[in-house]
Amino acid sequence: MSFPFVKGHGTGNDFVVLPDLDGSVHGELQPSVVAALCDRRRGIGGDGVLRVVRGRFDGGAEWFMDYRNADGSTSQMCGNGVRVFVRYLLEAGLVEAAGAAVPLPIGTADGVKLVSFCDDGEISVDMGPASVGGSTVVSVNGQRYEAVNVDVGNPHAVAFVDDLAEVGELAASPYFCGVEFADGVNIEFVQRLEGGALAMRVFERGVGETESCGTGACAVVAAAAAAAAGHEGAGHSTYTVRVRGGDLTVTIAADGHVHLKGPAVLVAEGNWRG
Amino acid sequence: MSFPFVKGHGTGNDFVVLPDLDGSVHGELQPSVVAALCDRRRGIGGDGVLRVVRGRFDGGAEWFMDYRNADGSTSQMCGNGVRVFVRYLLEAGLVEAAGAAVPLPIGTADGVKLVSFCDDGEISVDMGPASVGGSTVVSVNGQRYEAVNVDVGNPHAVAFVDDLAEVGELAASPYFCGVEFADGVNIEFVQRLEGGALAMRVFERGVGETESCGTGACAVVAAAAAAAAGHEGAGHSTYTVRVRGGDLTVTIAADGHVHLKGPAVLVAEGNWRG
């Protein structure tokens, strides 16, 4: 087995991009193959795989992002991944940034996402509306945290803390969430910084603690905006979200859609042999 | 900046191989570039870099392995690395395995190493003599361990323990060694298994705990053989050394040279852009 690949990251959330324009990769991409590709010592290494699918999809999308977690499981959406995905399309000459007055539609398992190329070189994604509501108790290292439930296409539990360091090591096992999330949940811990920015740590289901999580940043801002407005989903505002891997900018637009903006970098391309 | 690379590993000890047959990579390979290449999220990822140098070296060697640790520092020798290095030469068609009655000489900063291609597909390296002598106290997680000092081109401290799990987490900071090693030391913890095999965990200086360390396996066997023989460096014997990433076979030959045999696999090749 052998695949051409591209390696890229957005704020340290890294991906193996697998171009699959002829569909030949699809049948080979068993969970064990995804895990082998994402193995950081015996493979390429990454938080997930982004298979690049060309076709005709809902919403006029020519491109579909087939996202898999590092353990081979599927996930609806990945906010950092979609930027890396689009950076690949751009650098491969498959789409054009110049004159892109109309956002580029990208198909995902969570529906079509509209992507814009920003003047500063970053990429912005309309992640759709976030739904804030309900709460969960998260238990970590013997401490219990009240967390706000946010759905951004995938489920999040957002816990505001005074100091991110107090949470301690985010190992694989010590979590407990309420029964609300049968399929697991991504957990964000958030500290409000002076000046209004938000610092965040994230534990992604199926992955572990990562340097960044795009949908997590959106969830955090949705929760912060809802708290600021005093009621669910309200507020029209822009926040900087500081993750371990860098800064993301999240805007809640007037229509309630959450826009995630940040860097996306391709660092290598080559051939993998399994 | 852009380099062609190959990614490979030996028992999970992984490397970025940089072919540099025209010498153009050499001037670019600052420590910061090595660190960027070895970054597992923003680069290719690896425990170190193996620059492939062609020329005329001591001992009739046509090839020189310029080894750098992941943090950009240099190191004299890397036992798993030299196998991956030679696997690259073989797969690139730069050397031939067939009819290799005479071992292939490879230049390293620790002198020429003789490499043999084994019938089972593994690669064996004559690591030269090991020097066993003296002891050090290693302190980890509040426990103190008496360790045997072994030099295999680079310095090792080998501590025999009843159970590898008892050592606990091998984090970056909790070490203390005696003043014998001004440049630091690699530390191995070894558990004797039934049947005579040795299980080993290793903390490599400049890297952290790794899945495997070739010179570490040699040091461990040298220490075990010396203990079995009741005096330094004696014994002619073969041991299986079980590291986290797989099995290595170490033989102490009649002339006292230590031969390290194990797998070496190339998993990808491509271009990196810094």
Side-chain angles (χ1 to χ4, degrees), chain A residues 7 12 14 40-43 47 91 211 245 267-273, chain B residues 7 12 14 40-43 47 91 211 245 267-273:
Chain A
K7 171 83 185 273
D14 64 335
R40 296 194 179 277
R41 294 180 169 276
R42 292 174 173 75
D47 292 322
E91 294 204 7
E211 293 202 17
V267 297
E269 65 273 312
N271 270 280
W272 171 79
R273 20 179 161 164
Chain B
K7 170 83 186 271
D14 64 335
R40 295 193 181 277
R41 294 180 169 277
R42 293 174 173 74
D47 291 323
E91 294 204 7
E211 293 203 17
V267 297
E269 64 273 311
N271 269 280
W272 172 79
R273 21 179 159 162

PDB file of all heavy atoms in Angstrom, chain A residues 7 12 14 40-43 47 91 211 245 267-273, chain B residues 7 12 14 40-43 47 91 211 245 267-273:
ATOM      1  N   LYS A   7       1.521  16.923   4.516  1.00  0.00           N
ATOM      2  CA  LYS A   7       1.413  17.144   5.964  1.00  0.00           C
ATOM      3  C   LYS A   7       1.212  18.628   6.197  1.00  0.00           C
ATOM      4  O   LYS A   7       1.926  19.452   5.596  1.00  0.00           O
ATOM      5  CB  LYS A   7       2.707  16.667   6.659  1.00  0.00           C
ATOM      6  CG  LYS A   7       2.837  17.027   8.142  1.00  0.00           C
ATOM      7  CD  LYS A   7       2.108  16.058   9.056  1.00  0.00           C
ATOM      8  CE  LYS A   7       2.162  16.517  10.511  1.00  0.00           C
ATOM      9  NZ  LYS A   7       3.352  16.051  11.225  1.00  0.00           N
ATOM     10  N   GLY A  12      -0.825  24.155  15.181  1.00  0.00           N
ATOM     11  CA  GLY A  12      -0.258  22.962  15.811  1.00  0.00           C
ATOM     12  C   GLY A  12      -1.177  21.750  15.782  1.00  0.00           C
ATOM     13  O   GLY A  12      -0.771  20.670  16.201  1.00  0.00           O
ATOM     14  N   ASP A  14      -2.352  19.029  13.712  1.00  0.00           N
ATOM     15  CA  ASP A  14      -1.738  18.595  12.450  1.00  0.00           C
ATOM     16  C   ASP A  14      -2.454  17.424  11.788  1.00  0.00           C
ATOM     17  O   ASP A  14      -3.066  16.587  12.444  1.00  0.00           O
ATOM     18  CB  ASP A  14      -0.250  18.301  12.635  1.00  0.00           C
ATOM     19  CG  ASP A  14       0.023  17.146  13.581  1.00  0.00           C
ATOM     20  OD1 ASP A  14      -0.824  16.862  14.440  1.00  0.00           O
ATOM     21  OD2 ASP A  14       1.104  16.545  13.456  1.00  0.00           O
ATOM     22  N   ARG A  40       3.036   8.697  15.136  1.00  0.00           N
ATOM     23  CA  ARG A  40       4.072   9.729  15.023  1.00  0.00           C
ATOM     24  C   ARG A  40       5.482   9.168  14.885  1.00  0.00           C
ATOM     25  O   ARG A  40       6.420   9.904  14.584  1.00  0.00           O
ATOM     26  CB  ARG A  40       3.996  10.692  16.206  1.00  0.00           C
ATOM     27  CG  ARG A  40       2.683  11.459  16.222  1.00  0.00           C
ATOM     28  CD  ARG A  40       2.692  12.639  17.163  1.00  0.00           C
ATOM     29  NE  ARG A  40       1.421  13.325  17.116  1.00  0.00           N
ATOM     30  CZ  ARG A  40       1.087  14.229  16.192  1.00  0.00           C
ATOM     31  NH1 ARG A  40       1.954  14.577  15.267  1.00  0.00           N
ATOM     32  NH2 ARG A  40      -0.106  14.785  16.193  1.00  0.00           N
ATOM     33  N   ARG A  41       5.669   7.876  15.125  1.00  0.00           N
ATOM     34  CA  ARG A  41       7.006   7.292  14.989  1.00  0.00           C
ATOM     35  C   ARG A  41       7.095   6.339  13.811  1.00  0.00           C
ATOM     36  O   ARG A  41       8.113   6.272  13.142  1.00  0.00           O
ATOM     37  CB  ARG A  41       7.395   6.553  16.272  1.00  0.00           C
ATOM     38  CG  ARG A  41       7.547   7.509  17.424  1.00  0.00           C
ATOM     39  CD  ARG A  41       7.922   6.823  18.707  1.00  0.00           C
ATOM     40  NE  ARG A  41       8.293   7.837  19.679  1.00  0.00           N
ATOM     41  CZ  ARG A  41       9.482   8.367  19.753  1.00  0.00           C
ATOM     42  NH1 ARG A  41      10.449   7.952  18.963  1.00  0.00           N
ATOM     43  NH2 ARG A  41       9.743   9.312  20.636  1.00  0.00           N
ATOM     44  N   ARG A  42       6.029   5.616  13.572  1.00  0.00           N
ATOM     45  CA  ARG A  42       6.050   4.601  12.505  1.00  0.00           C
ATOM     46  C   ARG A  42       5.276   5.049  11.268  1.00  0.00           C
ATOM     47  O   ARG A  42       5.178   4.305  10.303  1.00  0.00           O
ATOM     48  CB  ARG A  42       5.476   3.284  13.034  1.00  0.00           C
ATOM     49  CG  ARG A  42       6.362   2.651  14.079  1.00  0.00           C
ATOM     50  CD  ARG A  42       5.695   1.427  14.694  1.00  0.00           C
ATOM     51  NE  ARG A  42       6.612   0.734  15.564  1.00  0.00           N
ATOM     52  CZ  ARG A  42       6.967   1.150  16.764  1.00  0.00           C
ATOM     53  NH1 ARG A  42       6.461   2.269  17.245  1.00  0.00           N
ATOM     54  NH2 ARG A  42       7.825   0.465  17.496  1.00  0.00           N
ATOM     55  N   GLY A  43       4.701   6.230  11.329  1.00  0.00           N
ATOM     56  CA  GLY A  43       3.955   6.737  10.184  1.00  0.00           C
ATOM     57  C   GLY A  43       4.315   8.191   9.919  1.00  0.00           C
ATOM     58  O   GLY A  43       5.417   8.622  10.249  1.00  0.00           O
ATOM     59  N   ASP A  47      -2.930  14.469  14.011  1.00  0.00           N
ATOM     60  CA  ASP A  47      -4.121  14.344  14.851  1.00  0.00           C
ATOM     61  C   ASP A  47      -5.270  13.723  14.069  1.00  0.00           C
ATOM     62  O   ASP A  47      -6.274  13.328  14.661  1.00  0.00           O
ATOM     63  CB  ASP A  47      -4.554  15.721  15.359  1.00  0.00           C
ATOM     64  CG  ASP A  47      -3.571  16.310  16.350  1.00  0.00           C
ATOM     65  OD1 ASP A  47      -3.021  15.547  17.166  1.00  0.00           O
ATOM     66  OD2 ASP A  47      -3.335  17.532  16.319  1.00  0.00           O
ATOM     67  N   GLU A  91      -2.878  25.452  -2.708  1.00  0.00           N
ATOM     68  CA  GLU A  91      -1.474  25.269  -3.123  1.00  0.00           C
ATOM     69  C   GLU A  91      -1.351  24.238  -4.243  1.00  0.00           C
ATOM     70  O   GLU A  91      -0.411  24.302  -5.036  1.00  0.00           O
ATOM     71  CB  GLU A  91      -0.606  24.893  -1.913  1.00  0.00           C
ATOM     72  CG  GLU A  91      -0.534  26.041  -0.909  1.00  0.00           C
ATOM     73  CD  GLU A  91       0.704  25.984  -0.015  1.00  0.00           C
ATOM     74  OE1 GLU A  91       1.591  25.135  -0.249  1.00  0.00           O
ATOM     75  OE2 GLU A  91       0.770  26.799   0.925  1.00  0.00           O
ATOM     76  N   GLU A 211      -2.873  20.583  20.802  1.00  0.00           N
ATOM     77  CA  GLU A 211      -2.411  21.969  20.849  1.00  0.00           C
ATOM     78  C   GLU A 211      -3.513  22.939  20.452  1.00  0.00           C
ATOM     79  O   GLU A 211      -3.420  24.135  20.720  1.00  0.00           O
ATOM     80  CB  GLU A 211      -1.207  22.159  19.919  1.00  0.00           C
ATOM     81  CG  GLU A 211       0.017  21.410  20.396  1.00  0.00           C
ATOM     82  CD  GLU A 211       1.296  21.987  19.833  1.00  0.00           C
ATOM     83  OE1 GLU A 211       1.299  23.124  19.343  1.00  0.00           O
ATOM     84  OE2 GLU A 211       2.314  21.282  19.889  1.00  0.00           O
ATOM     85  N   GLY A 245      -1.054  26.074  20.535  1.00  0.00           N
ATOM     86  CA  GLY A 245      -0.357  26.144  19.251  1.00  0.00           C
ATOM     87  C   GLY A 245      -0.435  27.492  18.558  1.00  0.00           C
ATOM     88  O   GLY A 245       0.071  27.611  17.446  1.00  0.00           O
ATOM     89  N   VAL A 267       3.611  21.674   5.420  1.00  0.00           N
ATOM     90  CA  VAL A 267       5.036  21.593   5.736  1.00  0.00           C
ATOM     91  C   VAL A 267       5.790  20.533   4.930  1.00  0.00           C
ATOM     92  O   VAL A 267       7.017  20.566   4.857  1.00  0.00           O
ATOM     93  CB  VAL A 267       5.277  21.349   7.242  1.00  0.00           C
ATOM     94  CG1 VAL A 267       4.746  22.512   8.064  1.00  0.00           C
ATOM     95  CG2 VAL A 267       4.665  20.036   7.704  1.00  0.00           C
ATOM     96  N   ALA A 268       5.077  19.591   4.358  1.00  0.00           N
ATOM     97  CA  ALA A 268       5.769  18.547   3.597  1.00  0.00           C
ATOM     98  C   ALA A 268       4.789  17.847   2.672  1.00  0.00           C
ATOM     99  O   ALA A 268       3.581  17.858   2.901  1.00  0.00           O
ATOM    100  CB  ALA A 268       6.403  17.513   4.543  1.00  0.00           C
ATOM    101  N   GLU A 269       5.330  17.259   1.634  1.00  0.00           N
ATOM    102  CA  GLU A 269       4.516  16.360   0.805  1.00  0.00           C
ATOM    103  C   GLU A 269       5.398  15.201   0.396  1.00  0.00           C
ATOM    104  O   GLU A 269       6.625  15.317   0.353  1.00  0.00           O
ATOM    105  CB  GLU A 269       3.943  17.059  -0.435  1.00  0.00           C
ATOM    106  CG  GLU A 269       4.954  17.525  -1.455  1.00  0.00           C
ATOM    107  CD  GLU A 269       5.476  18.903  -1.122  1.00  0.00           C
ATOM    108  OE1 GLU A 269       4.681  19.797  -0.837  1.00  0.00           O
ATOM    109  OE2 GLU A 269       6.723  19.090  -1.136  1.00  0.00           O
ATOM    110  N   GLY A 270       4.771  14.058   0.134  1.00  0.00           N
ATOM    111  CA  GLY A 270       5.577  12.901  -0.233  1.00  0.00           C
ATOM    112  C   GLY A 270       4.733  11.668  -0.452  1.00  0.00           C
ATOM    113  O   GLY A 270       3.537  11.756  -0.719  1.00  0.00           O
ATOM    114  N   ASN A 271       5.384  10.524  -0.322  1.00  0.00           N
ATOM    115  CA  ASN A 271       4.712   9.241  -0.458  1.00  0.00           C
ATOM    116  C   ASN A 271       4.874   8.433   0.819  1.00  0.00           C
ATOM    117  O   ASN A 271       5.976   8.326   1.350  1.00  0.00           O
ATOM    118  CB  ASN A 271       5.296   8.437  -1.625  1.00  0.00           C
ATOM    119  CG  ASN A 271       4.559   8.729  -2.910  1.00  0.00           C
ATOM    120  OD1 ASN A 271       3.482   8.206  -3.160  1.00  0.00           O
ATOM    121  ND2 ASN A 271       5.124   9.617  -3.719  1.00  0.00           N
ATOM    122  N   TRP A 272       3.772   7.883   1.282  1.00  0.00           N
ATOM    123  CA  TRP A 272       3.790   6.994   2.444  1.00  0.00           C
ATOM    124  C   TRP A 272       3.616   5.567   1.952  1.00  0.00           C
ATOM    125  O   TRP A 272       2.880   5.307   1.015  1.00  0.00           O
ATOM    126  CB  TRP A 272       2.641   7.355   3.384  1.00  0.00           C
ATOM    127  CG  TRP A 272       2.444   6.362   4.509  1.00  0.00           C
ATOM    128  CD1 TRP A 272       3.175   6.267   5.663  1.00  0.00           C
ATOM    129  CD2 TRP A 272       1.446   5.336   4.603  1.00  0.00           C
ATOM    130  NE1 TRP A 272       2.700   5.255   6.452  1.00  0.00           N
ATOM    131  CE2 TRP A 272       1.640   4.657   5.823  1.00  0.00           C
ATOM    132  CE3 TRP A 272       0.415   4.928   3.761  1.00  0.00           C
ATOM    133  CZ2 TRP A 272       0.835   3.593   6.230  1.00  0.00           C
ATOM    134  CZ3 TRP A 272      -0.388   3.853   4.166  1.00  0.00           C
ATOM    135  CH2 TRP A 272      -0.178   3.202   5.393  1.00  0.00           C
ATOM    136  N   ARG A 273       4.335   4.654   2.596  1.00  0.00           N
ATOM    137  CA  ARG A 273       4.149   3.236   2.288  1.00  0.00           C
ATOM    138  C   ARG A 273       3.790   2.470   3.538  1.00  0.00           C
ATOM    139  O   ARG A 273       4.498   2.514   4.526  1.00  0.00           O
ATOM    140  CB  ARG A 273       5.413   2.642   1.674  1.00  0.00           C
ATOM    141  CG  ARG A 273       6.669   3.446   1.947  1.00  0.00           C
ATOM    142  CD  ARG A 273       7.834   2.768   1.325  1.00  0.00           C
ATOM    143  NE  ARG A 273       8.962   3.655   1.152  1.00  0.00           N
ATOM    144  CZ  ARG A 273      10.185   3.236   0.915  1.00  0.00           C
ATOM    145  NH1 ARG A 273      10.427   1.953   0.837  1.00  0.00           N
ATOM    146  NH2 ARG A 273      11.169   4.090   0.745  1.00  0.00           N
TER     147      ARG A 273
ATOM    148  N   LYS B   7      11.618   9.324   5.809  1.00  0.00           N
ATOM    149  CA  LYS B   7      11.327   9.059   7.217  1.00  0.00           C
ATOM    150  C   LYS B   7      11.459   7.564   7.459  1.00  0.00           C
ATOM    151  O   LYS B   7      10.936   6.767   6.664  1.00  0.00           O
ATOM    152  CB  LYS B   7       9.902   9.535   7.545  1.00  0.00           C
ATOM    153  CG  LYS B   7       9.352   9.127   8.918  1.00  0.00           C
ATOM    154  CD  LYS B   7       9.810  10.049  10.027  1.00  0.00           C
ATOM    155  CE  LYS B   7       9.357   9.535  11.396  1.00  0.00           C
ATOM    156  NZ  LYS B   7       8.038  10.022  11.790  1.00  0.00           N
ATOM    157  N   GLY B  12      10.940   1.772  16.481  1.00  0.00           N
ATOM    158  CA  GLY B  12      10.226   2.950  16.964  1.00  0.00           C
ATOM    159  C   GLY B  12      11.108   4.162  17.228  1.00  0.00           C
ATOM    160  O   GLY B  12      10.599   5.231  17.563  1.00  0.00           O
ATOM    161  N   ASP B  14      12.792   6.939  15.653  1.00  0.00           N
ATOM    162  CA  ASP B  14      12.545   7.410  14.290  1.00  0.00           C
ATOM    163  C   ASP B  14      13.411   8.595  13.887  1.00  0.00           C
ATOM    164  O   ASP B  14      13.822   9.410  14.713  1.00  0.00           O
ATOM    165  CB  ASP B  14      11.066   7.695  14.065  1.00  0.00           C
ATOM    166  CG  ASP B  14      10.540   8.826  14.928  1.00  0.00           C
ATOM    167  OD1 ASP B  14      11.128   9.080  15.999  1.00  0.00           O
ATOM    168  OD2 ASP B  14       9.540   9.443  14.536  1.00  0.00           O
ATOM    169  N   ARG B  40       7.171  17.227  15.852  1.00  0.00           N
ATOM    170  CA  ARG B  40       6.216  16.208  15.419  1.00  0.00           C
ATOM    171  C   ARG B  40       4.891  16.780  14.916  1.00  0.00           C
ATOM    172  O   ARG B  40       4.086  16.050  14.346  1.00  0.00           O
ATOM    173  CB  ARG B  40       5.967  15.206  16.548  1.00  0.00           C
ATOM    174  CG  ARG B  40       7.226  14.427  16.883  1.00  0.00           C
ATOM    175  CD  ARG B  40       6.962  13.223  17.757  1.00  0.00           C
ATOM    176  NE  ARG B  40       8.210  12.542  18.050  1.00  0.00           N
ATOM    177  CZ  ARG B  40       8.786  11.672  17.233  1.00  0.00           C
ATOM    178  NH1 ARG B  40       8.216  11.366  16.086  1.00  0.00           N
ATOM    179  NH2 ARG B  40       9.946  11.124  17.544  1.00  0.00           N
ATOM    180  N   ARG B  41       4.638  18.042  15.136  1.00  0.00           N
ATOM    181  CA  ARG B  41       3.390  18.647  14.658  1.00  0.00           C
ATOM    182  C   ARG B  41       3.632  19.647  13.532  1.00  0.00           C
ATOM    183  O   ARG B  41       2.837  19.744  12.607  1.00  0.00           O
ATOM    184  CB  ARG B  41       2.672  19.353  15.803  1.00  0.00           C
ATOM    185  CG  ARG B  41       2.201  18.367  16.843  1.00  0.00           C
ATOM    186  CD  ARG B  41       1.486  19.027  18.002  1.00  0.00           C
ATOM    187  NE  ARG B  41       0.864  17.980  18.793  1.00  0.00           N
ATOM    188  CZ  ARG B  41      -0.297  17.440  18.517  1.00  0.00           C
ATOM    189  NH1 ARG B  41      -0.999  17.874  17.486  1.00  0.00           N
ATOM    190  NH2 ARG B  41      -0.786  16.484  19.259  1.00  0.00           N
ATOM    191  N   ARG B  42       4.730  20.364  13.617  1.00  0.00           N
ATOM    192  CA  ARG B  42       4.994  21.411  12.629  1.00  0.00           C
ATOM    193  C   ARG B  42       6.088  21.006  11.638  1.00  0.00           C
ATOM    194  O   ARG B  42       6.462  21.780  10.765  1.00  0.00           O
ATOM    195  CB  ARG B  42       5.387  22.711  13.329  1.00  0.00           C
ATOM    196  CG  ARG B  42       4.264  23.321  14.120  1.00  0.00           C
ATOM    197  CD  ARG B  42       4.719  24.522  14.923  1.00  0.00           C
ATOM    198  NE  ARG B  42       3.587  25.187  15.532  1.00  0.00           N
ATOM    199  CZ  ARG B  42       2.918  24.731  16.579  1.00  0.00           C
ATOM    200  NH1 ARG B  42       3.292  23.597  17.133  1.00  0.00           N
ATOM    201  NH2 ARG B  42       1.894  25.385  17.071  1.00  0.00           N
ATOM    202  N   GLY B  43       6.627  19.811  11.807  1.00  0.00           N
ATOM    203  CA  GLY B  43       7.666  19.331  10.903  1.00  0.00           C
ATOM    204  C   GLY B  43       7.393  17.896  10.508  1.00  0.00           C
ATOM    205  O   GLY B  43       6.246  17.453  10.503  1.00  0.00           O
ATOM    206  N   ASP B  47      13.239  11.490  16.245  1.00  0.00           N
ATOM    207  CA  ASP B  47      14.152  11.577  17.379  1.00  0.00           C
ATOM    208  C   ASP B  47      15.467  12.221  16.969  1.00  0.00           C
ATOM    209  O   ASP B  47      16.278  12.585  17.829  1.00  0.00           O
ATOM    210  CB  ASP B  47      14.432  10.179  17.938  1.00  0.00           C
ATOM    211  CG  ASP B  47      13.208   9.569  18.608  1.00  0.00           C
ATOM    212  OD1 ASP B  47      12.457  10.322  19.253  1.00  0.00           O
ATOM    213  OD2 ASP B  47      13.021   8.353  18.490  1.00  0.00           O
ATOM    214  N   GLU B  91      17.931   0.994  -0.145  1.00  0.00           N
ATOM    215  CA  GLU B  91      16.700   1.192  -0.923  1.00  0.00           C
ATOM    216  C   GLU B  91      16.886   2.251  -2.005  1.00  0.00           C
ATOM    217  O   GLU B  91      16.201   2.227  -3.031  1.00  0.00           O
ATOM    218  CB  GLU B  91      15.536   1.538   0.006  1.00  0.00           C
ATOM    219  CG  GLU B  91      15.183   0.373   0.925  1.00  0.00           C
ATOM    220  CD  GLU B  91      13.747   0.396   1.433  1.00  0.00           C
ATOM    221  OE1 GLU B  91      12.955   1.249   0.982  1.00  0.00           O
ATOM    222  OE2 GLU B  91      13.436  -0.449   2.298  1.00  0.00           O
ATOM    223  N   GLU B 211      11.314   5.149  22.553  1.00  0.00           N
ATOM    224  CA  GLU B 211      10.859   3.763  22.425  1.00  0.00           C
ATOM    225  C   GLU B 211      12.028   2.802  22.321  1.00  0.00           C
ATOM    226  O   GLU B 211      11.864   1.596  22.510  1.00  0.00           O
ATOM    227  CB  GLU B 211       9.972   3.613  21.186  1.00  0.00           C
ATOM    228  CG  GLU B 211       8.665   4.352  21.323  1.00  0.00           C
ATOM    229  CD  GLU B 211       7.589   3.785  20.416  1.00  0.00           C
ATOM    230  OE1 GLU B 211       7.725   2.663  19.916  1.00  0.00           O
ATOM    231  OE2 GLU B 211       6.605   4.493  20.223  1.00  0.00           O
ATOM    232  N   GLY B 245       9.670  -0.330  21.610  1.00  0.00           N
ATOM    233  CA  GLY B 245       9.353  -0.366  20.185  1.00  0.00           C
ATOM    234  C   GLY B 245       9.631  -1.684  19.494  1.00  0.00           C
ATOM    235  O   GLY B 245       9.457  -1.785  18.285  1.00  0.00           O
ATOM    236  N   VAL B 267       9.405   4.550   5.967  1.00  0.00           N
ATOM    237  CA  VAL B 267       7.941   4.624   5.876  1.00  0.00           C
ATOM    238  C   VAL B 267       7.439   5.710   4.931  1.00  0.00           C
ATOM    239  O   VAL B 267       6.274   5.680   4.516  1.00  0.00           O
ATOM    240  CB  VAL B 267       7.298   4.829   7.270  1.00  0.00           C
ATOM    241  CG1 VAL B 267       7.595   3.630   8.158  1.00  0.00           C
ATOM    242  CG2 VAL B 267       7.776   6.112   7.924  1.00  0.00           C
ATOM    243  N   ALA B 268       8.274   6.660   4.601  1.00  0.00           N
ATOM    244  CA  ALA B 268       7.812   7.739   3.716  1.00  0.00           C
ATOM    245  C   ALA B 268       9.009   8.461   3.126  1.00  0.00           C
ATOM    246  O   ALA B 268      10.106   8.446   3.693  1.00  0.00           O
ATOM    247  CB  ALA B 268       6.933   8.733   4.481  1.00  0.00           C
ATOM    248  N   GLU B 269       8.771   9.081   1.971  1.00  0.00           N
ATOM    249  CA  GLU B 269       9.781   9.999   1.444  1.00  0.00           C
ATOM    250  C   GLU B 269       9.047  11.175   0.828  1.00  0.00           C
ATOM    251  O   GLU B 269       7.884  11.060   0.446  1.00  0.00           O
ATOM    252  CB  GLU B 269      10.686   9.345   0.391  1.00  0.00           C
ATOM    253  CG  GLU B 269      10.001   8.900  -0.879  1.00  0.00           C
ATOM    254  CD  GLU B 269       9.435   7.499  -0.739  1.00  0.00           C
ATOM    255  OE1 GLU B 269      10.137   6.596  -0.290  1.00  0.00           O
ATOM    256  OE2 GLU B 269       8.243   7.324  -1.077  1.00  0.00           O
ATOM    257  N   GLY B 270       9.717  12.334   0.807  1.00  0.00           N
ATOM    258  CA  GLY B 270       9.040  13.498   0.257  1.00  0.00           C
ATOM    259  C   GLY B 270       9.906  14.734   0.320  1.00  0.00           C
ATOM    260  O   GLY B 270      11.140  14.646   0.397  1.00  0.00           O
ATOM    261  N   ASN B 271       9.225  15.877   0.293  1.00  0.00           N
ATOM    262  CA  ASN B 271       9.908  17.154   0.398  1.00  0.00           C
ATOM    263  C   ASN B 271       9.390  17.920   1.595  1.00  0.00           C
ATOM    264  O   ASN B 271       8.183  18.007   1.799  1.00  0.00           O
ATOM    265  CB  ASN B 271       9.664  17.993  -0.862  1.00  0.00           C
ATOM    266  CG  ASN B 271      10.732  17.739  -1.902  1.00  0.00           C
ATOM    267  OD1 ASN B 271      11.826  18.280  -1.820  1.00  0.00           O
ATOM    268  ND2 ASN B 271      10.416  16.874  -2.848  1.00  0.00           N
ATOM    269  N   TRP B 272      10.330  18.462   2.366  1.00  0.00           N
ATOM    270  CA  TRP B 272       9.982  19.315   3.497  1.00  0.00           C
ATOM    271  C   TRP B 272      10.266  20.757   3.124  1.00  0.00           C
ATOM    272  O   TRP B 272      11.242  21.047   2.437  1.00  0.00           O
ATOM    273  CB  TRP B 272      10.826  18.930   4.713  1.00  0.00           C
ATOM    274  CG  TRP B 272      10.694  19.877   5.877  1.00  0.00           C
ATOM    275  CD1 TRP B 272       9.680  19.937   6.780  1.00  0.00           C
ATOM    276  CD2 TRP B 272      11.626  20.903   6.272  1.00  0.00           C
ATOM    277  NE1 TRP B 272       9.912  20.925   7.697  1.00  0.00           N
ATOM    278  CE2 TRP B 272      11.090  21.527   7.412  1.00  0.00           C
ATOM    279  CE3 TRP B 272      12.851  21.342   5.766  1.00  0.00           C
ATOM    280  CZ2 TRP B 272      11.746  22.579   8.067  1.00  0.00           C
ATOM    281  CZ3 TRP B 272      13.504  22.386   6.410  1.00  0.00           C
ATOM    282  CH2 TRP B 272      12.960  23.001   7.554  1.00  0.00           C
ATOM    283  N   ARG B 273       9.401  21.651   3.576  1.00  0.00           N
ATOM    284  CA  ARG B 273       9.659  23.074   3.362  1.00  0.00           C
ATOM    285  C   ARG B 273       9.648  23.814   4.688  1.00  0.00           C
ATOM    286  O   ARG B 273       8.694  23.735   5.455  1.00  0.00           O
ATOM    287  CB  ARG B 273       8.625  23.681   2.433  1.00  0.00           C
ATOM    288  CG  ARG B 273       7.335  22.895   2.339  1.00  0.00           C
ATOM    289  CD  ARG B 273       6.399  23.589   1.426  1.00  0.00           C
ATOM    290  NE  ARG B 273       5.393  22.688   0.917  1.00  0.00           N
ATOM    291  CZ  ARG B 273       4.253  23.110   0.369  1.00  0.00           C
ATOM    292  NH1 ARG B 273       4.022  24.391   0.255  1.00  0.00           N
ATOM    293  NH2 ARG B 273       3.372  22.242  -0.088  1.00  0.00           N
TER     294      ARG B 273
END
